[in-house]
Amino acid sequence: MPTNIDLKALSQLPDSKGHFGPYGGRFVSETLMAALKQLEETYEKLWRDPAFQEEFDRDLAHYVGRPSPLYFAKHLTDKVGGAKIYLKREDLNHTGAHKVNNTIGQALLAKYTGKPRVIAETGAGQHGVASATVAARMGLECQVYMGAEDVQRQALNVYRMKLLGAEVIAVESGTRTLKDAMNEAMRDWVTNVDDTFYIIGTAAGPHPYPKLVRDFQCIIGREARQQCLDQTGRLPDALVACVGGGSNAIGLFHPFIEDENVKMYGVEAGGYGVETGHHAAPLSAGAPGVLHGNRTYLMSDEAGQIVGTHSVSAGLDYPGVGPEHSFLKDTGRAEYVDATDEEAMDAFRILTRVEGIMPALESSHAVAYAMKLAKEMDKDQTIVVNLSGRGDKDIHTVAQIDGINI
Amino acid sequence: MSRISSSFEKLNAEGRKALIPYVTAGDCSPEVTVPLLHALVEAGADIIELGVPFSDPMADGPVIQLACERALAHGVRLSDVLDMVSEFRKTDAETPLVLMGYLNPVEIMGYENFAKNASEAGVDGVLTVDLPPEESDEFNQIMQAQGIDTIYLMAPTTEEERVKYICENGSGYLYYVSVKGVTGSSALDVQSVSDKLDIVRKYTDLPVGVGFGIKDAESASSVAEVADGVIVGSVLVNKIAELVKDKAQIAPQVSAIIKDMRTAMDS
């Protein structure tokens, strides 16, 4: 890591215009500018309001079930042979992933701004389920945009959303995946901006979303930091999290930014291998550009068109990434690597068999890299892996890969 | 004086309003575009907005999304669009031409490169949908250095303080989006447009074009009563879509729509 960066200043970003260095910002059409400004003002006020904080904390404790455990994966550690691997069990949250930390927060913002309708985009369906869940609880109308291809591969979550009272809209445009769902959600928001709150599912999009989603997700890192101190008497040596848009990763990383000895590894989807071009790894193989309201690393071709991505996990199948990760990469504070479909599948099977924990395919990418990393580290060192979601939703995908029809 | 300003000045002297058609470059196929632009001018267009196809046109409705997909199926890139402008300029040195699109293709080409290439091709203005003035200090400077106007959007949701800010940053003309929504949205309300334009004119002498929701000669002529320019897109692009299999009809039939609007606006 470069020694000349001011970690305290880095942890206080974004600036007042939503910039993380050259990244982030607010690149949207004019119709949305007023709504984003209003959201920013509401958020800045409420986030400092003790009553809001108390309500948020109470929901996280009694509805989500926080704090989530930090579990020492002894059997996985023994099998790998190397650094001790700890799992931050976001899979044990209500609805089965870290996504709900953010939707609880944004639903409270929707409530305080008096908007009766919420919309969301979703890839794997976890954010859609988490949005439909909070909408059901608060009596809000909810529509979820989902790429038609993802509707196919995540049928279970689609039905879950319907049971919760949400309408799932299959998006047929473009590549029919997460990026197209996000386009369509933006179009809906432009049209219905007066009565609709857009619950963005990841720490990306126009300012203030990358900031507020991060702030809501930072509960992961704050808990993990304290739990690690309590259980091991010191901070971890490394953090590992998967990165699609990057909300679970930034939630884990951010509270450790100033702890300069804690290394951070974001694991992107290597798909069939980054060298094949069929992947979803903009930080590893892309370049800066502008999409979905922010400047960030993107996968686009030499003419600036966004290119199709591939990952076995729908939740990582996205050509962009949250802008804070782009800046953490450029500053060298975090390192970004990838795990292929095959490596993630192996990790899925190993964790399931040795620990009895079935990770989401997204989180399996983090487990895969952590297993590699642990081997290169000493036995007295520790790695905290964000187990961002549970794998129940992926059973069909895994069975299909195994050639089994359920 | 830029082609855009002199065009508005001439119209003003004649007591007429600008008619500004939008088409997506390379829609159906690349060779359709330049003859279509000439036909639009022939039919009475004063300024042309030429859409640069983008894979993720977030502010556009289904009609223009599909136009982008048709153009991209032919591999139409920003550099190809600039070639079309050069081709157009060979026989039309007067009609102002504005590129309308999204920022990423320009980012990837690089602002300096883009400005230089666009200026050489004969582009007069750029309207970048996802680039609000807040993010465009560098962009404005570079475009202005090449004599290219930067045109900004205003919307029904734009508050007065921001109207002033946008007026200070725009050049050429201002584009008022008449409805909340994407391109091709429902019909507009002329009275509310008129009220908003009264506010805009407190802060600028720039001409104001109004777009979104103008579907026929009648709506064009009623908007012309209150605006300096009438911008028409989805209705033309829809016609192009109908004629995908009969490309020879695109220029005559699309320009016929413009001709009707011209007649209604001038009468």
Side-chain angles (χ1 to χ4, degrees):
Chain A
M1 189 176 70
T3 49
N4 58 346
I5 50 168
D6 178 350
L7 295 178
K8 190 169 177 62
L10 187 63
S11 76
Q12 279 164 359
L13 293 174
D15 68 14
S16 62
K17 283 180 150 185
H19 292 142
F20 301 87
Y23 304 108
R26 191 175 277 168
F27 295 87
V28 295
S29 72
E30 178 57 29
T31 310
L32 293 178
M33 290 299 283
L36 288 167
K37 190 164 162 246
Q38 189 206 6
L39 175 62
E40 181 186 358
E41 283 164 4
T42 306
Y43 172 69
E44 292 298 341
K45 196 173 98 228
L46 288 174
W47 190 240
R48 278 189 281 260
D49 177 353
F52 179 88
Q53 283 289 349
E54 196 188 318
E55 191 170 0
F56 182 54
D57 290 345
R58 196 170 54 232
D59 280 354
L60 289 182
H62 301 295
Y63 189 69
V64 175
R66 302 203 71 93
S68 68
L70 182 73
Y71 167 71
F72 173 44
K74 182 175 187 307
H75 309 283
L76 181 67
T77 300
D78 289 347
K79 183 174 172 62
V80 172
K84 293 194 272 293
I85 300 172
Y86 285 76
L87 304 176
K88 180 60 176 163
R89 300 290 308 277
E90 292 299 300
D91 60 315
L92 294 177
N93 291 341
H94 179 43
T95 73
H98 73 291
K99 293 291 187 187
V100 72
N101 303 327
N102 168 47
T103 59
I104 289 277
Q106 291 200 47
L108 285 176
L109 293 179
K111 188 179 94 173
Y112 278 92
T113 49
K115 310 253 169 156
R117 173 176 182 264
V118 295
I119 56 171
E121 85 294 337
T122 195
Q126 289 303 99
H127 174 59
V129 167
S131 298
T133 299
V134 295
R137 177 171 174 246
M138 296 177 105
L140 302 167
E141 186 190 338
C142 178
Q143 282 173 319
V144 179
Y145 290 93
M146 189 167 184
E149 188 180 325
D150 294 335
V151 168
Q152 293 286 322
R153 54 181 171 175
Q154 300 289 346
L156 190 64
N157 270 344
V158 173
Y159 190 57
R160 206 172 269 162
M161 287 183 264
K162 287 180 182 163
L163 288 173
L164 287 160
E167 186 189 351
V168 178
I169 301 165
V171 176
E172 298 284 354
S173 61
T175 57
R176 307 162 84 228
T177 58
L178 179 54
K179 83 171 172 75
D180 309 287
M182 198 149 177
N183 290 339
E184 213 51 43
M186 290 260 187
R187 290 176 187 128
D188 180 313
W189 198 30
V190 163
T191 309
N192 302 296
V193 63
D194 291 335
D195 73 344
T196 297
F197 189 100
Y198 179 16
I199 302 182
I200 291 187
T202 193
H207 180 61
Y209 281 103
K211 178 174 195 272
L212 70 85
V213 174
R214 176 198 71 196
D215 290 349
F216 291 142
Q217 291 292 2
C218 273
I219 185 73
I220 302 171
R222 282 200 304 272
E223 284 177 5
R225 198 173 182 284
Q226 190 56 49
Q227 288 166 323
C228 198
L229 288 171
D230 292 346
Q231 291 181 33
T232 72
R234 58 191 192 83
L235 292 175
D237 297 286
L239 308 173
V240 180
C242 65
V243 177
S247 69
N248 89 80
I250 206 67
L252 177 65
F253 291 176
H254 194 267
F256 289 92
I257 283 181
E258 293 179 54
D259 301 315
E260 59 182 328
N261 294 323
V262 180
K263 291 189 170 146
M264 303 172 174
Y265 299 92
V267 188
E268 296 191 294
Y272 298 134
V274 167
E275 69 287 352
T276 66
H278 298 283
H279 57 83
L283 289 165
S284 308
V290 171
L291 180 71
H292 291 152
N294 56 171
R295 182 178 284 121
T296 191
Y297 277 83
L298 287 180
M299 290 174 55
S300 64
D301 66 16
E302 78 294 342
Q305 307 297 346
I306 308 306
V307 297
T309 51
H310 165 78
S311 171
V312 68
S313 68
L316 302 183
D317 209 349
Y318 180 67
V321 64
E324 191 163 4
H325 287 296
S326 293
F327 198 49
L328 290 177
K329 172 189 160 76
D330 282 8
T331 55
R333 179 63 190 95
E335 197 176 314
Y336 294 87
V337 295
D338 75 280
T340 62
D341 287 356
E342 204 179 319
E343 290 169 328
M345 288 301 301
D346 286 347
F348 171 90
R349 290 178 208 282
I350 290 168
L351 190 67
T352 302
R353 292 298 294 268
V354 304
E355 294 287 357
I357 295 172
M358 206 175 278
L361 289 180
E362 290 77 12
S363 322
S364 301
H365 287 72
V367 176
Y369 185 74
M371 285 162 56
K372 269 195 218 173
L373 184 66
K375 278 187 200 135
E376 298 161 6
M377 291 168 61
D378 293 336
K379 281 185 191 302
D380 60 350
Q381 291 186 297
T382 57
I383 300 174
V384 171
V385 181
N386 199 4
L387 204 73
S388 56
R390 68 181 180 217
D392 306 49
K393 70 183 174 58
D394 296 311
I395 300 300
H396 274 270
T397 306
V398 174
Q400 215 167 28
I401 290 168
D402 287 343
I404 294 164
N405 206 356
I406 300 180
Chain B
M1 189 187 293
S2 76
R3 272 189 283 252
I4 292 175
S5 321
S6 51
S7 172
F8 275 106
E9 207 155 89
K10 182 163 162 271
L11 285 161
N12 207 20
E14 295 165 1
R16 301 196 309 147
K17 301 298 177 71
L19 178 54
I20 310 174
Y22 165 97
V23 291
T24 304
D27 187 1
C28 275
S29 73
E31 69 275 9
V32 167
T33 304
V34 174
L36 172 60
L37 301 185
H38 287 307
L40 292 170
V41 174
E42 184 70 21
D46 300 297
I47 297 172
I48 301 238
E49 285 185 358
L50 186 59
V52 180
F54 183 51
S55 53
D56 295 77
M58 276 168 299
D60 286 296
V63 171
I64 291 173
Q65 288 172 47
L66 289 171
C68 285
E69 286 183 15
R70 287 193 295 270
L72 291 173
H74 289 276
V76 175
R77 297 161 300 179
L78 177 54
S79 57
D80 299 316
V81 179
L82 294 176
D83 289 344
M84 291 176 196
V85 176
S86 301
E87 182 68 27
F88 173 76
R89 279 279 170 253
K90 283 182 185 165
T91 51
D92 187 331
E94 278 175 24
T95 310
L97 203 145
V98 172
L99 294 187
M100 183 169 182
Y102 293 80
L103 187 56
N104 200 52
V106 176
E107 288 253 328
I108 300 298
M109 185 177 276
Y111 292 173
E112 294 275 4
N113 262 340
F114 168 73
K116 186 171 152 286
N117 297 343
S119 171
E120 279 169 14
V123 169
D124 301 288
V126 286
L127 196 175
T128 312
V129 178
D130 54 351
L131 181 66
E134 278 85 348
E135 300 284 356
S136 61
D137 289 351
E138 187 196 355
F139 183 85
N140 277 354
Q141 265 180 19
I142 293 171
M143 295 305 138
Q144 276 157 20
Q146 293 287 348
I148 295 173
D149 285 323
T150 48
I151 293 147
Y152 288 100
L153 300 171
M154 282 188 281
T157 53
T158 308
E159 286 160 5
E160 183 157 349
E161 192 186 327
R162 219 181 129 68
V163 166
K164 179 167 178 276
Y165 174 64
I166 294 170
C167 288
E168 287 162 4
N169 280 275
S171 55
Y173 59 96
L174 294 157
Y175 186 137
Y176 182 65
V177 173
S178 65
V179 292
K180 289 172 204 159
V182 293
T183 50
S185 301
S186 56
L188 57 86
D189 169 9
V190 177
Q191 185 54 50
S192 69
V193 170
S194 176
D195 293 347
K196 193 78 178 194
L197 296 194
D198 287 344
I199 297 171
V200 174
R201 291 198 172 103
K202 288 192 340 203
Y203 299 104
T204 187
D205 294 326
L206 285 174
V208 186
V210 171
F212 285 42
I214 295 160
K215 291 192 156 36
D216 50 25
E218 194 189 338
S219 49
S221 111
S222 59
V223 168
E225 301 280 321
V226 299
D228 302 298
V230 177
I231 304 163
V232 191
S234 292
V235 66
L236 307 180
V237 175
N238 233 346
K239 181 55 81 180
I240 296 173
E242 285 170 21
L243 296 169
V244 167
K245 292 206 166 69
D246 193 6
K247 293 190 181 72
Q249 282 299 309
I250 290 176
Q253 291 201 26
V254 174
S255 60
I257 299 172
I258 288 299
K259 193 164 191 178
D260 282 350
M261 290 181 170
R262 178 85 268 168
T263 308
M265 282 165 61
D266 290 352
S267 64

